[in-house]
Amino acid sequence: MNDRKKNKDQLIKELQYLRKRVTELKKAEIKGNQALHESEVQCKAVLDAVPDMMFQISKDGTYLDFIPAKGVAPLLLPKEFLGKKLTDLLPKNLSERAMASIKCVLKTGKPQTLEYQIIQNSEPHDYESRMVVNGPDKVLAIVREITSRKMTEAALLESEKKYRMVVGSSNEAIFIVQNDHIKFFNATALKLTGYRGKDLTSRPYLKLFHPQDREFVAEKHRKRISEKSSRLDSLRIIDKRGKVKWVELTSTISEWRGEPAYLWFLKDITEQKRLQEELARVQRLETAGRVAGQIAHDFNNLLSPLAAYPVLIREQLPEGHPTLEMLDEMEDSAKKIAEINQQLLALGRRGHYAMEPIDLHELLHGILTLGKFPKEIVIKEAFTPDIFLVKGGAAQLTRALTNLINNAVEAMNNQGVLTVKTENTYLDIPLKGYQTIDPGEYVKLSISDTGAGIRPEIMDNIFDPFFTTKKMDRRRGSGLGLSIVHGIVEDHNGYIQVDSKPGKGTTFSLYFPVNKAVDRKILMSEVKSASGDERILIVDDDPIQRRVAGQLLRRLGYRVQVVSSGETAVTHLKKRHYDLLIVDMVMDGIDGVEAYKRILEFEPKQKAIILSGYAMSNRVQTAIKLGAGSFVTKPISQKVLANAVRKELDKKHGRRRN
């Protein structure tokens, strides 16, 4: 009885347990169904949110399943491609690429990405397909349309291309500077500096600048942190070869890879700076020349008696007279003063002169033979045979060459080797310091010394008027020598070059255009006789000049009449014939050119020469075109005046040049 009761109780307990277990299982099932539903909802939400289409594809390329992307039209309706192979639906080249990717995914287990383009409704559409393993014989292809992205990338690429084109073709050097180093540069920057890329980026940016400008640049950068941009004053950089170049630097705050940086724009203004300095030098020369020319012109009138009268006085004194020695000193001093005055005129470009065929060898021979050089100076001549003739003024060229030779001797402290060289040459490219030249044949004349050379810091000043390096304890120089040389060379349409190295001497090279219009054989010979009995009219508004010129010519036998103005000269010539007219260029009233022009109206074959301390170049050219002959410069020399007069009188009169 008791056993039966125990069994019953046990059975009840088991039944209760089973009921409880069933209840728990039912609850678990309900909960699982809810979780599964929630998971399905979440999965659906994820799939709906993903802008991708999904294809399940077998290893042989058959479409097994398809999940469309929300809001994106499928390439084909599911019924049109499910169960079909991609080789049947895609172009051959694309299907081959897709099959290759499927095989690679299944073989390696690694995802593969494929980009391609399909034409839909006559419009190109770009897609990206990412394939992953989805079973032993299947892959899942996740396809996303990337047309917009491709368009953006293309626009970005085009923008970058234009940016690189602008930066690369810029005439300005562009740098990005960050943490005291150059991080970026364009092609112009390499051209400007001469460095290779790694040379620029491996050194502090301040090393690029001239030592005297580095602190200025660094200070400007320190103060520019709060500024947007700033244009610095002109600065100097030093390129790889050590050459100093002037640049104008514009700097602005920028970023480089997310950090603050400076964006530089460097404009090369070296040539502009050189032209500005050249213009300033020319202006200084013109200013000095105007002052010097005015003084020299007035001084010439006063100097004429001092230069001319000693000759006349000497003729009236007996041999051995004590006054003769004083006359020699007066004449020597007058010549030296006249030479200085001629240099002032040359500086002012107002000592105009006739341009005649010149043999530079003859000029050099006279200078080197008659010059008084120290015994310790060795002179070497390297003259090219058959040197071409040049067209110029013998006196002015002699002055220029004498200045250069004397300058070379002084540079060697009266001890060394002086080399004078000539050669025929042809120029067709600009020389240093000249933007353009006239191509053609030239005579090159070089004067070299073995002195200490010219210091680089003063090289730009050597042609400045009144610039001199001579010390006070030596014979002082006027500072006119090289500026006069420069002016005379330019007056002859020539060019001048200087090559100097400290401790190795200096070479001045002059280039003069060749004159082939005159044969060397027909160069005019010297006047055999300077005297004559022709009738001459002298026109000058200065009484001293009239008296000096008149006395010199009367002593040579000429019949001389003097007048004080151009108007009076016109009146005289209307009444009486004169074989030669000597007319001053600058006078009160009508000048010499105007007087000569009026005389030619009624006396078209009138011979004339110009007497001038200086004259404006356009008036001189006018006188030459009218038919005037030689120039006679003041102060008057008896020999020069006599030869000029005889030469003009003996000349067969041709037609006036129009």
Side-chain angles (χ1 to χ4, degrees), residues 180-182 195 198-208 214 238-240:
D180 295 334
H181 281 75
I182 295 172
Y195 287 106
K198 64 179 182 180
D199 295 329
L200 281 175
T201 56
S202 63
R203 51 195 310 215
Y205 79 95
L206 283 178
K207 292 289 187 181
L208 185 62
R214 290 172 186 171
I238 302 177
D239 68 10
K240 186 176 181 179

Side-chain angles (χ1 to χ4, degrees), residues 44 68 102 118 121 156 175 239 241 245-246 249 285 339 382 413 582:
K44 186 176 183 303
I102 290 172
I118 295 178
N121 299 324
L156 183 61
F175 296 90
D239 68 10
R241 294 179 298 173
K245 294 182 179 179
W246 285 91
L249 171 62
L285 186 61
E339 176 61 26
N413 291 320
I582 300 177

Side-chain angles (χ1 to χ4, degrees), residues 63-280:
Y63 288 102
L64 303 177
D65 198 2
F66 164 67
I67 301 175
K70 186 177 181 181
V72 179
L75 301 178
L76 296 170
L77 295 175
K79 66 180 181 179
E80 296 181 47
F81 64 86
L82 288 179
K84 297 181 179 179
K85 293 186 177 182
L86 56 83
T87 53
D88 299 327
L89 301 176
L90 299 178
K92 182 178 180 181
N93 64 332
L94 178 56
S95 64
E96 290 176 351
R97 291 172 58 202
M99 286 302 300
S101 295
I102 290 172
K103 292 179 180 179
C104 184
V105 169
L106 293 175
K107 182 177 180 180
T108 64
K110 296 180 180 180
Q112 294 288 313
T113 300
L114 182 68
E115 289 188 8
Y116 52 92
Q117 189 178 82
I118 295 178
I119 304 299
Q120 294 176 265
N121 299 324
S122 302
E123 294 289 336
H125 290 260
D126 293 288
Y127 292 92
E128 179 185 79
S129 178
R130 181 174 176 79
M131 299 182 185
V132 297
V133 175
N134 192 33
D137 297 322
K138 296 181 291 183
V139 297
L140 181 65
I142 305 169
V143 180
R144 172 177 296 182
E145 184 172 358
I146 57 173
T147 304
S148 296
R149 190 186 83 187
K150 282 291 187 180
M151 292 176 64
T152 301
E153 289 176 352
L156 183 61
L157 185 63
E158 181 66 20
S159 176
E160 183 179 354
K161 182 180 178 181
K162 291 179 179 178
Y163 164 78
R164 291 188 177 277
M165 181 179 68
V166 171
V167 172
S169 62
S170 173
N171 290 328
E172 294 187 352
I174 300 176
F175 296 90
I176 292 179
V177 179
Q178 186 183 70
N179 299 327
D180 295 334
H181 281 75
I182 295 172
K183 301 294 185 179
F184 172 86
F185 48 84
N186 66 347
T188 307
L190 297 177
K191 183 178 179 181
L192 175 67
T193 63
Y195 287 106
R196 294 179 298 177
K198 64 179 182 180
D199 295 329
L200 281 175
T201 56
S202 63
R203 51 195 310 215
Y205 79 95
L206 283 178
K207 292 289 187 181
L208 185 62
F209 291 92
H210 191 282
Q212 296 178 4
D213 292 339
R214 290 172 186 171
E215 182 57 33
F216 176 77
V217 175
E219 182 64 21
K220 283 287 185 179
H221 272 253
R222 284 193 291 268
K223 292 181 178 180
R224 195 171 298 120
I225 296 175
S226 61
E227 301 176 11
K228 291 183 178 180
S229 65
S230 176
R231 183 177 295 276
L232 298 177
D233 295 331
S234 299
L235 298 167
R236 291 163 294 180
I237 66 169
I238 302 177
D239 68 10
K240 186 176 181 179
R241 294 179 298 173
K243 182 180 179 181
V244 176
K245 294 182 179 179
W246 285 91
V247 298
E248 187 176 69
L249 171 62
T250 301
S251 177
T252 184
I253 297 295
S254 182
E255 283 191 359
W256 177 255
R257 296 180 178 175
E259 295 184 9
Y262 295 106
L263 179 61
W264 282 0
F265 297 90
L266 272 70
K267 181 180 179 181
D268 188 352
I269 59 171
T270 305
E271 181 62 15
Q272 175 185 333
K273 197 80 171 176
R274 187 193 68 78
L275 291 176
Q276 288 175 346
E277 292 175 354
E278 179 66 15
L279 177 61

